[in-house]
Amino acid sequence: EVQLVESGGGSVQAGGSLRLSCAASGFTSDDYAIGWFRQAPGKEREAVSCISSSDGSTYYADSVKGRFSISSDNGKNTVYLQMNNLRTEDTAVYYCAGTSLQWTCWLGSPIEDYNSWGQGTQVTVSS
């Protein structure tokens, strides 16, 4: 069973930075993808970023390109989301998710590709 545990959320002023972590365990293959999603109140959950374990390919939503950076430490089975220049509209619950469909990052990280989810971590950006 795949388990994903997020950490690193919190409150920050606009323009600040946060780093989220997603500790993954239980994948039966070395080939998988980890995605970051977010859900703001009253809105649908949306893809933010994705990284493939096999080739390191990544995906970023247009709204976060140039501000967010995803990386992985395969030795620790942990994926990080570095969030810089945060905006109030980045306020949401952030979730990491896992899938064995390692190519999902090439396809824009569609939410239906994922079958394992973390519990979420709150990110609040104030003006």
Side-chain angles (χ1 to χ4, degrees):
E1 179 185 1
V2 174
Q3 291 191 329
L4 302 164
V5 180
E6 304 101 334
S7 61
S11 297
V12 66
Q13 288 192 324
S17 298
L18 285 172
R19 189 178 79 158
L20 305 182
S21 300
C22 174
S25 62
F27 284 106
T28 58
S29 167
D30 289 337
D31 296 327
Y32 56 88
I34 297 290
W36 283 99
F37 293 78
R38 67 186 181 187
Q39 188 166 20
K43 295 189 176 181
E44 293 186 353
R45 193 170 298 189
E46 63 176 358
V48 174
S49 186
C50 173
I51 188 165
S52 171
S53 70
S54 59
D55 63 0
S57 58
T58 59
Y59 161 82
Y60 295 96
D62 288 344
S63 59
V64 306
K65 281 180 182 176
R67 300 188 299 121
F68 291 12
S69 177
I70 193 169
S71 61
S72 65
D73 182 338
N74 291 336
K76 296 182 179 179
N77 291 329
T78 300
V79 170
Y80 304 97
L81 184 68
Q82 178 67 43
M83 306 185 296
N84 298 327
N85 192 20
L86 283 160
R87 304 168 179 170
T88 54
E89 54 263 39
D90 295 319
T91 295
V93 178
Y94 283 70
Y95 300 88
C96 69
T99 177
S100 59
L101 303 177
Q102 55 181 305
W103 57 81
T104 189
C105 300
W106 308 342
L107 303 176
S109 193
I111 194 170
E112 57 267 24
D113 281 358
Y114 294 84
N115 51 17
S116 300
W117 292 83
Q119 80 285 358
T121 185
Q122 177 70 47
V123 171
T124 302
V125 185
S126 59
S127 58

